[in-house]
Amino acid sequence: MIGWGELALIVVLAVILLGPNKLADLARTLGRIYGEYQKAKKQLELELLYGYEIPTKEKLEVIAQKKMSAITSDFIENVSKLKKP
């Protein structure tokens, strides 16, 4: 385990070696990587537990387009049936 003294030494060395600007960029990048890791972990857990994957935004848009076109075609078909005597 890393104690508080070792952690403080690592932080001081990081500031000295990278500088405050690079350290902020590094922290931001590490935060993004950690966020992607958490997202992938959650998706894997859901796939293992429930046997399905979380749909991406693109998949949801494709599904919505298909449903909308099906609804539109059904509507047009029903309206044309009503117009015919």
Side-chain angles (χ1 to χ4, degrees):
M1 291 295 293
I2 296 177
W4 287 105
E6 291 90 0
L7 185 61
L9 181 64
I10 291 171
V11 169
V12 169
L13 286 175
V15 169
I16 291 171
L17 294 175
L18 296 176
N21 294 336
K22 294 276 186 179
L23 193 60
D25 291 338
L26 178 66
R28 193 174 301 115
T29 302
L30 289 175
R32 286 187 190 127
I33 290 171
Y34 183 71
E36 288 293 321
Y37 164 74
Q38 289 292 340
K39 183 177 168 185
K41 181 179 139 187
K42 181 90 163 168
Q43 187 171 1
L44 179 63
E45 286 175 355
L46 287 174
E47 285 179 19
L48 291 175
L49 289 174
Y50 301 111
Y52 67 90
E53 63 180 272
I54 300 172
T56 62
K57 185 177 180 182
E58 292 80 22
K59 284 184 181 180
L60 289 175
E61 288 176 357
V62 169
I63 293 169
Q65 283 292 77
K66 286 180 182 178
K67 292 210 181 252
M68 192 62 162
S69 63
I71 291 171
T72 304
S73 64
D74 286 345
F75 178 76
I76 291 171
E77 183 180 317
N78 289 329
V79 168
S80 64
K81 286 181 182 178
L82 290 175
K83 288 184 178 180
K84 292 181 183 177

